[in-house]
Amino acid sequence: MQGERAAESSVERLLAGYRRLEDVPDELIGSDGAIRPVWTDLIGALADMETDELSARMARGDQYLRDAGVFYRHYGPQDTVERDWPLSHMPLLIDENEWNGIAEGLIQRADLLEQVVADLYGPNRLVADGHLPAPLVAGNKEWLRPLVGVTPRSGHFLHFLAFDIGRGPDGDWWVLGDRTQAPSGAGFALENRIATARIYSDIFSRLNVERLAGFFRDFRDTLLDLRQSDDSRVAILTPGLHNDTYFEHAYIARYLGFMLLEGEDLTVRDGRLMVRTVAGLSPVSVLLRRLDANWSDPLELNEASRLGTPGMVGAIRSGSVTMVNALGSGVLETRALLAFLPRISEALTGERLKLPNIATWWCGQSREREHVKANAARMTIGDAFATGLPFDLDELSVVGGAMSGEGKGAVEAWIDANATRLVGQEAVTLSTAPAFVDGMLVPRPMSLRLFLARTHDGWRIMPGGFARIGHSTDTPELAMQRGGSVADVWMVKSGPVDQDTMLTQPVAPFVRSQPGVLPSRSADNLFWLGRYVERSETMIRLTRAYHVRLAETAWPDAPLLSDLAGYLVLFGNEPDGSFTESIRTALDSASTSASNVRDRFSLDGWLALTDIDKTIHRIASTATPGDDLARGMGVLLRKLSGFSGLVHENMYRFTGWRFLSIGRALERAIAMTNLLARYADPAAPDGAFDLALEVGDSAMSHRRRYAVATNRETIIDLLAIDPLNPRSIVHQFDQLREHFGYLPGAERHRPTTELQRVMLKTHAALATHTAETLDTDALREVGADIAALSGELDRTYFR
């Protein structure tokens, strides 16, 4: 009895901040005031935890998300910044029976939306028969006239859907919005699951929470089966790095094993969609689109688009590509369509919606307009063509019948003047979910985003999703842009769950697959990643050499220091004595290149690179010239060497690694050529030879190799033409020669390419020099040849 009282007391302490809102159903507390059964085990386990243990668990989940690089892009009034993913540490639990009812309603809705969009781009009977007003179609920018009459090659317009749903005052679920354009969030739901499972690893393993992997496996296999042939590709089309959900695009591409492409990666040839790769054009027959339809083709849709591919619509017309979802399907997201879907459902299927949507009235109809005007105080009135949720307010929105302090008459006049552009929607009052605030559970409004995928067996719902949790008790505070957070959704079954994975059972003997094709843009970014990282190392070594000498002499006007300062300024540094600007610029550029190939870049490599970037920014802002900055450069150099070793030792030797290594070798050759032309010159200041050896990381090798004192000939021999020195120019050409031999089009049975000829010519010219003949002028000629080699590489593989 005493143990039961203690347990009750701990639960009470956990729920001390929980106050039920009047007349609002709650996800945690039932109408009888007791904890709902599906929550019992989790709440009991939480009540047994000490505050420090719970905080440590939450920190573990947050650390995972930071390590994984999960972010979203926050758009503020002044600038756009990347923000940490706002995980709500308390998952939302839904039992199997309730979940099945939700799934049944959403599957019915998905089938209905498929029929609606097929009609809008086909016979258009819904408009002709009066079920849908013509202005809502003809005036909708998401209804794409060039796609009218075009039937998707797969036979379906919709393959992947998301629905935002909420629980209403009566305790029933209803749909807040349909997401058919390019539904986002599935990748974030996966990351939420991993983070939350780490927080509650022991509890999660005990509960019968349905796994997510099977959903993604079936969807992946369905997309693969939609290909025209085995040699064609499935790809994900992204707007690019600056999209607010770009992280998810890269994550899903890596998780599903598909290429991540931008519009510039694609071209249309003879009606077929092709991806530009380093081996030439390769067909793409299935495209999972994360780009809004209007931007996908500047020829036939938005001519201002720089994100799409000219001829994309033509390729769809020819039937050479399946678009997921079909271009033009965004028309289904229109807010005003919610006003007509209930009647359309009865007209097309003879059934009422099992999961109704929020009550909506289009003001373009006189009776509905008068109803909205009469009940404006209890409504949100907004843009009929908007695609956001009812509480995602825009410039047309009026809440509660008030407009900038003006009276009811102003609102009614505004409605009359903009009738066809407006809808009135029932004011959203959402149920609350438990969220942690200062260690206690408190109620916060929530909505769910759930996902459906078309598979061989019909629509399948993801057994989870994510819940948007309000920052405060106000419903509009759900949005992340306004401080809301996101929680994992656990669908709890009554019995054991299958241990689903992404693996597919083999049906034939194992055969090692060939490496995938490498898009030219990805190769370009990997090449420049290698160059920028190597350039950063050069700048670090030069900067350290300067500050070591400054610490030793404290005389910045000494000839060698003055010359080195002038050399560092040439790289873009301000002459302020720190010389860290060029390092920061190079590392920022390296991070940008890596960001553009996030789907091909390891998590450890990404974390190491971001750590280096943070380190240089910290050193640049705190370290002082001289010994302090010299030590800082040493720390940075060791971190950068660790990154290079991590990437180059662990990366699979496929074509992408070749381009990364080529960039590294080419940049090192350029840097060494420039260094020797300046500091192995007979007119260089005293101490220049030792400086060249130090920056070339070859001082120890020089002491072992040469019994004589340092002179120009020994420097040139070791740093330029010694093939055994990994820092020498000729060693870089040995590396380039090997890598070029593995690139597409350079196979031994093929004629020598122009790129190979340029490389061999430069290599041979360098190899025939001696330490005496490789003077400053000759070094400058080698530098010009290396620049020509870089240009030829660009023309051959990147353009």
Side-chain angles (χ1 to χ4, degrees):
M1 182 67 69
Q2 185 176 359
E4 291 179 2
R5 284 198 298 271
E8 289 176 2
S9 177
S10 61
V11 172
E12 289 172 358
R13 285 196 302 272
L14 182 67
L15 301 179
Y18 217 83
R19 298 291 182 270
R20 293 187 61 221
L21 304 180
E22 290 296 325
D23 301 323
V24 179
D26 188 84
E27 300 303 317
L28 176 61
I29 308 296
S31 58
D32 57 357
I35 296 174
R36 295 180 187 270
V38 71
W39 291 90
T40 303
D41 290 344
L42 177 60
I43 295 298
L46 290 173
D48 290 339
M49 293 181 193
E50 297 293 334
T51 302
D52 289 346
E53 179 188 355
L54 185 58
S55 297
R57 285 171 176 259
M58 293 179 181
R60 190 162 63 219
D62 292 338
Q63 186 62 51
Y64 164 77
L65 292 171
R66 285 194 295 271
D67 289 346
V70 184
F71 69 90
Y72 76 101
R73 209 170 292 280
H74 181 269
Y75 298 98
Q78 302 298 327
D79 56 4
T80 300
V81 295
E82 291 182 2
R83 295 283 180 85
D84 290 340
W85 186 246
L87 177 69
S88 177
H89 301 98
M90 188 66 177
L92 180 73
L93 277 60
I94 301 177
D95 68 57
E96 183 179 12
N97 290 332
E98 186 169 24
W99 185 267
N100 289 338
I102 294 172
E104 186 178 354
L106 292 182
I107 290 172
Q108 180 207 38
R109 193 175 186 89
D111 286 331
L112 175 63
L113 292 176
E114 175 70 35
Q115 293 184 62
V116 171
V117 71
D119 178 79
L120 293 180
Y121 289 98
N124 215 359
R125 297 303 309 170
L126 290 174
V127 173
D129 294 344
H131 298 299
L132 196 59
L136 286 183
V137 179
N140 194 324
K141 67 177 182 179
E142 296 299 338
W143 184 65
L144 306 181
R145 293 179 183 273
L147 275 302
V148 172
V150 178
T151 301
R153 184 172 65 85
S154 67
H156 298 287
F157 287 81
L158 305 176
H159 292 268
F160 192 82
L161 301 173
F163 296 96
D164 291 305
I165 68 172
R167 195 194 293 271
D170 57 359
D172 294 330
W173 294 94
W174 26 252
V175 175
L176 301 172
D178 306 304
R179 298 288 164 258
T180 58
Q181 171 82 268
S184 65
F188 290 126
L190 272 171
E191 289 287 31
N192 282 347
R193 172 59 56 86
I194 297 171
T196 307
R198 291 196 178 192
I199 296 173
Y200 305 109
S201 55
D202 51 339
I203 305 169
F204 184 87
S205 61
R206 294 199 308 267
L207 298 179
N208 297 317
V209 181
E210 185 78 1
R211 271 51 174 179
L212 305 181
F215 170 84
F216 287 97
R217 183 193 62 239
D218 288 351
F219 182 53
R220 177 201 63 193
D221 294 346
T222 300
L223 294 185
L224 288 172
D225 290 342
L226 287 174
R227 293 176 298 167
Q228 283 186 317
S229 59
D230 290 342
D231 66 339
S232 66
R233 304 282 170 173
V234 180
I236 297 176
L237 179 62
T238 175
L241 177 63
H242 299 292
N243 184 264
D244 58 342
T245 57
Y246 175 76
F247 168 83
E248 184 195 24
H249 305 172
Y251 180 82
I252 286 292
R254 188 164 54 239
Y255 187 71
L256 298 180
F258 297 152
M259 290 191 298
L260 183 65
L261 303 178
E262 295 182 23
E264 66 181 89
D265 295 324
L266 296 163
T267 187
V268 176
R269 293 288 186 273
D270 300 323
R272 299 185 69 195
L273 188 65
M274 313 290 281
V275 56
R276 295 183 175 95
T277 78
V278 294
L281 298 179
S282 180
V284 173
S285 57
V286 180
L287 206 55
L288 179 56
R289 174 172 61 87
R290 300 305 303 271
L291 174 69
D292 285 354
N294 263 307
W295 299 94
S296 62
D297 187 346
L299 285 183
E300 298 199 52
L301 299 174
N302 187 341
E303 63 181 15
S305 173
R306 297 296 180 267
L307 302 175
T309 303
M312 179 76 78
V313 171
I316 292 172
R317 278 199 202 95
S318 71
S320 69
V321 61
T322 294
M323 187 70 77
V324 178
N325 289 324
L327 296 184
S329 56
V331 68
L332 298 173
E333 295 188 2
T334 306
R335 193 177 288 174
L337 185 62
L338 298 176
F340 301 93
L341 276 180
R343 282 179 288 175
I344 289 175
S345 176
E346 294 182 11
L348 294 183
T349 68
E351 297 180 348
R352 300 185 65 180
L353 290 175
K354 297 176 182 177
L355 203 61
N357 50 247
I358 183 173
T360 305
W361 297 267
W362 179 52
C363 295
Q365 296 168 300
S366 58
R367 186 174 64 178
E368 284 75 7
R369 180 167 63 253
E370 294 305 315
H371 176 81
V372 170
K373 289 159 62 176
N375 296 276
R378 297 194 300 273
M379 289 189 181
T380 297
I381 306 170
D383 188 352
F385 297 103
T387 58
L389 297 178
F391 41 80
D392 292 339
L393 307 181
D394 51 54
E395 64 274 8
L396 277 180
S397 297
V398 169
V399 181
M403 177 188 287
S404 303
E406 299 183 23
K408 180 180 178 182
V411 174
E412 292 183 352
W414 173 71
I415 293 173
D416 287 332
N418 299 277
T420 59
R421 296 182 57 200
L422 297 175
V423 291
Q425 292 187 292
E426 188 176 38
V428 175
T429 303
L430 295 173
S431 66
T432 59
F436 279 107
V437 175
D438 297 328
M440 294 185 297
L441 288 176
V442 298
R444 289 290 183 261
M446 70 90 191
S447 69
L448 297 185
R449 175 161 291 191
L450 305 180
F451 303 90
L452 268 69
R454 189 184 294 278
T455 70
H456 298 301
D457 300 321
W459 290 106
R460 177 171 179 179
I461 187 171
M462 180 197 293
F466 67 77
R468 297 207 294 180
I469 307 296
H471 176 65
S472 68
T473 56
D474 294 332
T475 297
E477 301 299 319
L478 286 173
M480 288 188 296
Q481 300 288 342
R482 302 183 65 173
S485 57
V486 182
D488 188 21
V489 176
W490 292 4
M491 193 277 273
V492 182
K493 300 188 70 174
S494 56
V497 299
D498 295 331
Q499 300 299 312
D500 261 340
T501 70
M502 288 293 288
L503 300 177
T504 301
Q505 290 295 328
V507 294
F510 172 77
V511 177
R512 180 185 296 162
S513 61
Q514 294 298 312
V517 298
L518 180 67
S520 296
R521 184 180 54 83
S522 296
D524 194 6
N525 278 287
L526 287 166
F527 169 75
W528 279 102
L529 174 60
R531 289 198 64 171
Y532 286 131
V533 169
E534 188 64 31
R535 186 174 300 176
S536 301
E537 182 176 336
T538 299
M539 295 298 98
I540 292 168
R541 291 184 182 278
L542 285 167
T543 304
R544 183 174 67 169
Y546 175 87
H547 288 288
V548 165
R549 284 157 178 78
L550 181 64
E552 292 172 349
T553 66
W555 182 31
D557 293 330
L560 182 59
L561 270 176
S562 179
D563 188 90
L564 184 53
Y567 190 47
L568 285 166
V569 169
L570 293 177
F571 291 97
N573 293 293
E574 293 292 332
D576 61 357
S578 65
F579 304 116
T580 57
E581 290 89 349
S582 61
I583 303 172
R584 285 184 290 176
T585 299
L587 287 173
D588 286 344
S589 298
S591 295
T592 299
S593 294
S595 295
N596 281 313
V597 288
R598 279 293 295 271
D599 59 311
R600 297 175 178 271
F601 207 62
S602 74
L603 178 58
D604 286 335
W606 176 257
L607 290 175
L609 186 59
T610 53
D611 181 53
I612 294 167
D613 189 63
K614 292 176 182 177
T615 301
I616 181 56
H617 283 77
R618 183 179 67 250
I619 290 172
S621 61
T622 60
T624 57
D627 186 64
D628 196 21
L629 263 171
R631 285 187 283 107
M633 292 300 104
V635 170
L636 198 60
L637 184 61
R638 289 189 291 274
K639 287 191 174 187
L640 195 62
S641 298
F643 166 79
S644 297
L646 176 70
V647 172
H648 288 277
E649 291 302 318
N650 295 341
M651 203 169 176
Y652 187 80
R653 268 40 175 176
F654 71 137
T655 310
W657 177 80
R658 299 287 174 189
F659 280 102
L660 183 69
S661 301
I662 287 169
R664 184 188 189 194
L666 203 61
E667 186 67 30
R668 183 172 288 186
I670 292 171
M672 187 57 67
T673 302
N674 292 335
L675 180 73
L676 293 177
R678 190 176 184 102
Y679 292 111
D681 187 83
D686 288 343
F689 294 165
D690 290 329
L691 173 68
L693 282 175
E694 180 183 332
V695 175
D697 197 24
S698 298
M700 185 179 295
S701 298
H702 186 275
R703 286 196 296 270
R704 292 179 176 178
R705 287 287 315 276
Y706 305 98
V708 298
T710 305
N711 58 49
R712 186 182 187 282
E713 285 71 23
T714 61
I715 296 295
I716 294 296
D717 183 58
L718 182 62
L719 294 181
I721 58 178
D722 188 339
L724 298 183
N725 183 7
R727 293 280 169 180
S728 74
I729 302 171
V730 76
H731 182 85
Q732 309 317 312
F733 275 90
D734 290 340
Q735 296 292 308
L736 291 171
R737 183 175 182 177
E738 178 186 355
H739 292 313
F740 285 175
Y742 283 93
L743 297 183
E747 294 85 354
R748 291 185 178 181
H749 64 277
R750 294 176 180 267
T752 304
T753 66
E754 181 62 26
L755 177 63
Q756 289 175 305
R757 283 193 289 271
V758 173
M759 189 273 299
L760 290 171
K761 177 183 175 182
T762 307
H763 193 184
L766 182 63
T768 56
H769 273 293
T770 65
E772 291 81 6
T773 62
L774 193 59
D775 57 18
T776 300
D777 290 338
L779 283 166
R780 292 195 177 109
E781 289 180 11
V782 171
D785 290 340
I786 296 174
L789 186 62
S790 180
E792 189 59 40
L793 185 77
D794 182 81
R795 285 188 292 274
T796 303
Y797 292 108
F798 305 153
R799 304 302 166 199

